[in-house]
Amino acid sequence: MPKLGMEPLRKKALMDAALRTIGQNGSLNVTMSDIAREAGVSAALAHHYFGSKQKLLLETIRSLLRALRRDAIAALAQASGPRARLSAIVRVSFQSDQFTSETVAAWLAFYVEAQRSDEMRRLLITYTRRLRSNIMDSLNRLCPPDDAARIAEGAAALIDGLYIRHSLRAAPLGLAAAPALVENYFDTQLKPFSDAPATDGKPSIRIL
């Protein structure tokens, strides 16, 4: 039996191993034994903690999103004003740890699997909606609601598109240029409203 207090460490080791195994394989076509072997534990222990590979994968996604949420909260707490909060969201979206080969491969595989798994699809849809809501929270302080909704949709699509293009090595520019492209989009779209006074307030942290 594992020692008291080892369960969280073992679970994290298995989730990290899941990312590595998926990254090495390039898909979710891995077994619980493959993941357990990568983590240095038995398949029986992996089943004991998670019950099934599907549950392990879902918890791995939640772990990635919890980390992203923590980073977003920290970044937004340091931002002063709605425009600065938009920049904070952009920085978090393109931080380097989101672009490790294992993480990229896992995200792409999760999105493919979401076409077949209702649970995974709901989790990813909830994340995208909350990301959009977080962007909207700042945009609503900078422009009218209809414009905020339009700009938020464009920004979310740009962030996702740049992530996919970079992950496939199809982007002509490096990772460092991606945030600048999104920032330029915000500046261009918000320019007509730059003379209007912006309201402020604490952001609503909705990123999953």
Side-chain angles (χ1 to χ4, degrees):
M1 293 290 291
K3 295 180 180 179
L4 186 65
M6 286 297 292
E7 181 172 344
L9 297 177
R10 293 296 192 193
K11 283 185 173 181
K12 184 179 186 308
L14 281 162
M15 289 185 285
D16 290 345
L19 287 178
R20 291 195 300 273
T21 306
I22 292 167
Q24 293 160 10
N25 191 70
S27 76
L28 298 187
N29 188 27
V30 297
T31 67
M32 197 69 132
S33 294
D34 294 331
I35 296 171
R37 189 181 307 111
E38 178 69 24
V41 301
S42 68
L45 189 63
H47 280 285
H48 170 72
Y49 284 143
F50 293 99
S52 68
K53 186 184 81 170
Q54 181 73 0
K55 290 181 179 178
L56 170 56
L57 295 179
L58 288 170
E59 189 54 37
T60 300
I61 297 176
R62 293 189 182 100
S63 177
L64 287 171
L65 296 180
R66 282 194 295 268
L68 188 60
R69 178 180 180 274
R70 286 194 299 270
D71 291 342
I73 290 173
L76 288 168
Q78 297 298 316
S80 176
R83 184 61 185 85
R85 290 175 190 140
L86 290 175
S87 294
I89 294 169
V90 172
R91 287 196 305 274
V92 170
S93 297
F94 292 103
Q95 59 192 2
S96 59
D97 61 353
Q98 289 291 323
F99 284 89
T100 65
S101 60
E102 293 88 356
T103 302
V104 166
W107 275 118
L108 295 180
F110 291 148
Y111 273 98
V112 171
E113 181 65 18
Q115 307 308 306
R116 296 185 292 269
S117 167
D118 289 340
E119 286 183 283
M120 200 166 290
R121 182 167 60 253
R122 282 194 295 268
L123 189 59
L124 294 174
I125 287 174
T126 297
Y127 160 68
T128 58
R129 286 176 176 171
R130 290 181 178 178
L131 174 59
R132 180 184 180 278
S133 294
N134 217 40
I135 295 172
M136 282 285 293
D137 184 70
S138 291
L139 286 175
N140 278 329
R141 304 167 194 276
L142 295 168
C143 60
D146 288 347
D147 293 289
R150 171 180 56 80
I151 296 169
E153 288 292 344
L158 188 56
I159 289 170
D160 289 344
L162 286 168
Y163 185 90
I164 292 172
R165 292 186 69 190
H166 181 80
S167 70
L168 298 175
R169 297 179 175 84
L173 302 175
L175 175 59
L181 290 174
V182 184
E183 292 284 7
N184 182 68
Y185 171 79
F186 279 133
D187 288 341
T188 301
Q189 295 297 317
L190 290 171
K191 188 174 182 180
F193 314 103
S194 59
D195 293 332
T199 59
D200 200 2
K202 290 188 178 298
S204 302
I205 310 299
R206 297 191 179 99
I207 294 179
L208 184 65

